[in-house]
Amino acid sequence: MAVCNVFVAVACLRYDAALNASADNQIIRIFVVACLAAAITAALVLAFVCSRWGERLFRQAVGTHLSPYWIAAAALICGIYQATSTLTIRRGQFGWSSVLRAGQPTTFSVAAITLPIGLIGSCLLGFLTALPLAAKFIAGLRSTDVREVASEAWRFREFPLMSLPTSILDTVSLAIPIWFISSQYSSMDAGNFAQAQRLLAAPVMLFALAVGQVFMKRAGDVVRAGQSARGFQRRVVISLAGATCVLVAFVALFGSPVLSLLLGNHWRTDTAFLLLVFAPVAVRSCVSPVTGIFILKRRLRICAIWQTFYFLVTAGLFWSFAGNVSLERLLAAYVGSEFFCYVIYLLLADRVAL
C-alpha cells in the first residue's frame, strides 16, 4: 500500500495534474500523455530494481517477499488509476470519481477474501477498476490528436520538471515527524502519534481532499473563463476554517473519551496530546484544498519554492529539537511551524488567484 500510494502521486510524472490546467480540447491528449508517463515510469522502475545496485537496495528496503515485477506493475496500474480519477474530476464527473474511490478498496477486500492471488495481487486488482473507464476515455482520441500527444507533453513540461520534485518533497516532509519521533523517542510514542493521527486526522484529510477536487473543477472553470478565482477561493478557505474550528472543539470535548472507548487503556488518549496531534492536520486541511490554484494558474515555481521552504523549516525543527525536549514541547513547536508556513502559503495562493 505504501508503494502504491507513492506511485499514485508520482507515476504519471505529474501530467495528471496538468489535466486541470489544460483546455477542453487538450484533456484527452494530456490523459494519454499521463498514461504513457506511467508506462515509462514502470519500465524505468523495473530496469532499476533489476540492476545489481538497485536490486540490493530494493531488497534492503522492501525485503525478499516482493517481486520487482509487482513494483513495476504498481507503477503502471496506479498511474493509470490516478490519471483516470483526475480526468473524472476535470470533467465534473463526480459520480465516476466516487465509483473509482469506492471501487478500489471494495475490490481489494473482496478479492483478498475470495481469490487465490494474495494480498498484493488483490491490492493491484483494486486499482485496476479504473481500466475500463480509462479505455473509454482513450477511445475518444481522434487520429488528429495522436500527432499532438508529443507536443502536448512538451507544452506541459513544467509539470514533470517542477511539480514532480515538489510532490516527492511534500511526501518526505509529511513523513518527517514519524521518522524523528520513532528514532529519538520510543516506538510507543511513535505508535501513539501515528494511531491518533490516523483516527483523528484521516477523516479530515479525506474531506479536504474531496473539497480540493471540487475546488479544482469550479476554480478551473472560473480561471478558464478569464475571471478571478480569489473570491471563490476565500469563501472555500473561510468555510473550511469554520468547520475546522468545530472539529477542534469536538476533539477537545469528546476526543479523549471516544478514543479511550475505541482503543482501551493501552493507548495514549489524553486531550492535550490529541490536540497537539490534530492541530497540524487541522491547519493543513484549511489550506491544502486550494493548492490547485497554482496548477490552474501555471505558477508551479512559486509552489516549488514554498515546498522547499516548508521542508527546510520542518526538517530543521525536528533535527534541532527532537530528543532534546519533551515530546509535548516538540509537537507544540510543530504546531507553531505549521501555522507559520501555511499562513505564508495561503497569502501566496491569494495573490496567485487574483
Side-chain angles (χ1 to χ4, degrees):
M1 286 302 301
V3 168
C4 288
N5 288 337
V6 170
F7 284 132
V8 163
V10 304
C12 294
L13 305 181
R14 297 301 290 162
Y15 277 113
D16 54 305
L19 286 165
N20 295 297
S22 58
D24 291 341
N25 62 343
Q26 295 176 305
I27 56 176
I28 294 299
R29 298 194 292 266
I30 298 297
F31 176 73
V32 173
V33 171
C35 292
L36 291 175
I40 293 172
T41 300
L44 292 176
V45 167
L46 183 61
F48 173 74
V49 296
C50 289
S51 66
R52 180 178 301 179
W53 182 81
E55 182 181 12
R56 184 169 62 252
L57 180 63
F58 173 72
R59 295 305 177 193
Q60 291 175 349
V62 179
T64 59
H65 63 284
L66 192 59
S67 167
Y69 295 99
W70 283 122
I71 301 294
L76 177 61
I77 294 170
C78 293
I80 293 175
Y81 174 87
Q82 177 62 14
T84 305
S85 178
T86 304
L87 183 54
T88 61
I89 299 300
R90 170 64 179 82
R91 287 181 160 181
Q93 298 172 331
F94 296 107
W96 280 117
S97 176
S98 299
V99 168
L100 291 178
R101 296 290 180 182
Q104 186 271 321
T106 301
T107 304
F108 175 27
S109 301
V110 173
I113 294 171
T114 61
L115 299 180
I117 57 177
L119 289 176
I120 297 174
S122 300
C123 177
L124 295 183
L125 186 63
F127 285 101
L128 270 176
T129 53
L131 195 58
L133 191 56
K136 177 183 177 181
F137 288 149
I138 293 177
L141 188 70
R142 298 169 299 184
S143 58
T144 54
D145 292 325
V146 175
R147 295 190 295 269
E148 298 293 329
V149 168
S151 62
E152 295 290 2
W154 176 254
R155 187 175 295 117
F156 288 88
R157 62 188 180 277
E158 71 267 25
F159 284 87
L161 293 177
M162 298 294 298
S163 186
L164 180 61
T166 301
S167 298
I168 296 174
L169 204 58
D170 181 55
T171 303
V172 174
S173 299
L174 295 178
I176 283 176
I178 196 66
W179 289 347
F180 276 92
I181 291 173
S182 60
S183 64
Q184 298 299 322
Y185 294 92
S186 69
S187 57
M188 182 177 294
D189 289 324
N192 282 319
F193 178 84
Q195 184 75 306
Q197 191 176 61
R198 183 181 298 112
L199 294 176
L200 294 174
V204 178
M205 292 308 296
L206 288 174
F207 176 74
L209 176 63
V211 173
Q213 292 174 344
V214 176
F215 174 83
M216 185 74 80
K217 169 59 179 173
R218 304 305 183 209
D221 293 339
V222 173
V223 170
R224 285 186 288 273
Q227 301 172 2
S228 172
R230 174 180 278 183
F232 173 65
Q233 179 173 283
R234 287 180 174 179
R235 290 194 297 273
V236 170
V237 173
I238 291 172
S239 300
L240 286 171
T244 301
C245 290
V246 173
L247 289 174
V248 170
F250 180 86
V251 171
L253 294 173
F254 306 108
S256 181
V258 170
L259 290 191
S260 297
L261 182 64
L262 289 174
L263 301 176
N265 298 324
H266 299 289
W267 295 89
R268 185 173 178 182
T269 58
D270 57 282
T271 300
F273 177 74
L274 295 181
L275 286 174
L276 288 173
V277 173
F278 181 68
V281 182
V283 172
R284 198 177 306 129
S285 65
C286 291
V287 184
S288 60
V290 302
T291 298
I293 196 65
F294 295 98
I295 296 173
L296 296 171
K297 301 287 282 190
R298 306 283 291 272
R299 304 295 294 275
L300 300 179
R301 188 182 300 274
I302 295 176
C303 193
I305 292 173
W306 178 88
Q307 188 64 61
T308 304
F309 166 76
Y310 174 74
F311 169 77
L312 293 175
V313 170
T314 305
L317 172 72
F318 280 88
W319 181 271
S320 301
F321 293 105
N324 297 320
V325 299
S326 66
L327 178 60
E328 291 75 13
R329 288 177 179 266
L330 176 66
L331 293 179
Y334 181 45
V335 172
S337 71
E338 289 287 284
F339 185 81
F340 172 71
C341 290
Y342 276 97
V343 165
I344 294 176
Y345 186 84
L346 187 58
L347 292 174
L348 291 173
D350 191 66
R351 291 179 62 88
V352 169
L354 183 63

